[in-house]
Amino acid sequence: MKSLAPAFQEQVAIGIVSMNNWEWPQGVGLFALYSYYKETGNLAIRDELIAWFDSRIAEGLPAKNVNTMCPMLTLSYLAEETNNPVYLALCREWVTYVMEDIPRTDEGGIQHVVTRNLNEGQLWDDTLYMTVLFVARMGVLLQEDRYLQESIRQFLVHLKYLTDVKTGLFFHGWTFLGHHHFAGALWARGNSWYTAGLVDYLDMAPVPSGVSQFLLSSLERQVRTLAELQHESGLWHTLLDQPDSYLETSASSAFAYGILKAVRKGYLPERYREIGMKALTGVLEKIDEAGVVHGVSYGTGLKDDLNYYRNIKQCPMPYGQSMTLLLMVEARRMAT
């Protein structure tokens, strides 16, 4: 799990290119690798994941926030599988922080506090993937219903404030301080956190049928619009409704993964399979002979200018590799 782009100059201090950091890109990558291990039974991958966590724990973990929470999802699975008391204790400590200490917005939403930025009063769609999946997972692992109920509340609060009722897509963020959606960006990767995250959430969280029906109806409405906006290549623009913005691979991979898995699980009608397969074809075209995924946008904050999103640089990133890996795992399941 080495750096994907050692020659690329980091644009942020937290370090999101190298796999030797504890942040959200690495967390997404870890979960994809764990999913690949569970699908293939390759114990070498599990051992590599354990070695990664042991090294980071020995170095000392960073401050807790929404994004640094992301690696904890994979650690929760390893804690259960290995019965390692250190892993379990860390999972308990970090989920307790979410439940008791993490900053909140109005209506109890998890404020998207990240390293060096409090983002006061802000909801981001990224939060559902980075933190809420872990909370749900810990509810199952510890048999704590209040954790599951909290995960449900977060999905509902985020959908309430981030859904674009005209399209069924999701805005990147909302602020309770100014009561607006900033630039009104229908940002692809932000949308894809829901598409990919929901199908995994429903795998890990036994939510009531009324809740799952609501969440899945939101997914279908989103996917219906995605089908209309899909480029002939199979990919989607980084601003979904802005054809002058570039095509972006990480979001396209996550969309394809979520759509194909939802069809396989019976969450979406069979007619959407074609959309996912077209995206799969487009993503495969972005993988070079060394297995590096290209056309991936760098880390993207929440801004009030659409040109900011258009001008984000592209380079290989851990989450580009990992969302593509999740898609490959799903494609493998479809073929067997």
Side-chain angles (χ1 to χ4, degrees):
M1 287 187 283
K2 298 179 181 179
S3 173
L4 292 168
F8 184 81
Q9 183 64 45
E10 285 275 15
Q11 297 177 11
V12 293
I14 59 173
I16 63 176
V17 174
S18 171
M19 277 302 295
N20 293 325
N21 295 302
W22 183 291
E23 261 289 345
W24 68 271
Q26 295 79 17
V28 177
L30 294 166
F31 184 63
L33 286 169
Y34 183 79
S35 299
Y36 183 62
Y37 147 62
K38 294 301 289 185
E39 175 66 18
T40 63
N42 187 339
L43 293 175
I45 297 173
R46 183 196 64 177
D47 293 343
E48 188 173 2
L49 288 168
I50 290 172
W52 187 92
F53 277 104
D54 288 346
S55 294
R56 302 292 83 74
I57 291 169
E59 293 167 358
L61 301 189
K64 301 177 183 70
N65 61 53
V66 166
N67 283 346
T68 57
M69 199 68 55
C70 192
M72 300 304 296
L73 177 61
T74 303
L75 188 63
S76 73
Y77 284 100
L78 291 176
E80 182 177 42
E81 189 166 332
T82 65
N83 292 315
N84 185 325
V86 174
Y87 292 177
L88 184 57
L90 282 171
C91 289
R92 287 181 180 275
E93 176 187 333
W94 282 58
V95 76
T96 298
Y97 169 78
V98 178
M99 296 296 293
E100 298 180 4
D101 298 316
I102 201 165
R104 300 278 177 154
T105 68
D106 288 355
E107 299 193 37
I110 292 177
Q111 181 174 303
H112 193 78
V113 56
V114 299
T115 306
R116 296 184 174 84
N117 287 295
L118 285 175
N119 295 321
E120 185 179 358
Q122 295 180 19
L123 296 175
W124 295 27
D125 36 28
D126 313 49
T127 302
L128 295 174
Y129 199 98
M130 305 311 166
T131 291
V132 178
L133 292 186
F134 169 61
V135 173
R137 167 65 187 151
M138 290 304 295
V140 174
L141 182 60
L142 301 180
Q143 297 185 340
E144 284 278 6
D145 184 63
R146 63 193 180 100
Y147 294 169
L148 289 172
Q149 298 305 321
E150 179 65 16
S151 72
I152 291 170
R153 175 167 73 148
Q154 293 307 318
F155 265 90
L156 297 182
V157 169
H158 280 74
L159 286 183
K160 176 179 179 179
Y161 287 99
L162 298 181
T163 299
D164 174 23
V165 296
K166 294 180 180 179
T167 65
L169 300 174
F170 304 113
F171 294 111
H172 187 186
W174 165 266
T175 173
F176 282 99
L177 300 186
H179 299 96
H180 58 74
H181 293 109
F182 295 86
L186 298 172
W187 177 49
R189 192 160 61 238
N191 269 263
S192 75
W193 293 133
Y194 185 78
T195 320
L198 179 63
V199 291
D200 291 334
Y201 176 67
L202 294 178
D203 269 356
M204 66 181 71
V207 300
S209 61
V211 174
S212 63
Q213 289 172 35
F214 173 77
L215 297 177
L216 287 171
S217 67
S218 296
L219 175 67
E220 183 168 5
R221 184 145 189 257
Q222 181 203 38
V223 172
R224 193 184 311 148
T225 302
L226 288 175
E228 297 170 359
L229 296 175
Q230 188 175 31
H231 186 262
E232 61 183 13
S233 66
L235 305 182
W236 281 271
H237 296 275
T238 195
L239 290 170
L240 290 168
D241 60 339
Q242 303 288 317
D244 63 340
S245 65
Y246 57 74
L247 297 170
E248 206 281 328
T249 311
S250 68
S252 299
S253 297
F255 285 142
Y257 167 70
I259 291 168
L260 291 175
K261 182 171 180 177
V263 171
R264 177 173 61 84
K265 301 279 287 187
Y267 299 151
L268 288 177
E270 179 67 27
R271 66 179 179 272
Y272 289 112
R273 183 186 301 272
E274 180 181 354
I275 305 302
M277 294 302 295
K278 184 177 180 180
L280 171 63
T281 300
V283 169
L284 290 174
E285 292 293 322
K286 292 294 186 176
I287 306 173
D288 68 20
E289 293 181 356
V292 176
V293 179
H294 296 274
V296 177
S297 63
Y298 194 74
T300 306
L302 176 59
K303 301 294 183 182
D304 58 5
D305 181 3
L306 290 179
N307 283 327
Y308 163 79
Y309 294 87
R310 291 188 180 93
N311 294 325
I312 292 290
K313 302 297 183 183
Q314 296 173 283
C315 72
M317 297 297 294
Y319 47 83
Q321 298 294 129
S322 58
M323 300 314 279
T324 301
L325 178 57
L326 282 175
L327 174 56
M328 297 299 104
V329 171
E330 183 58 32
R332 185 180 189 272
R333 291 192 183 108
M334 293 168 50
T336 57

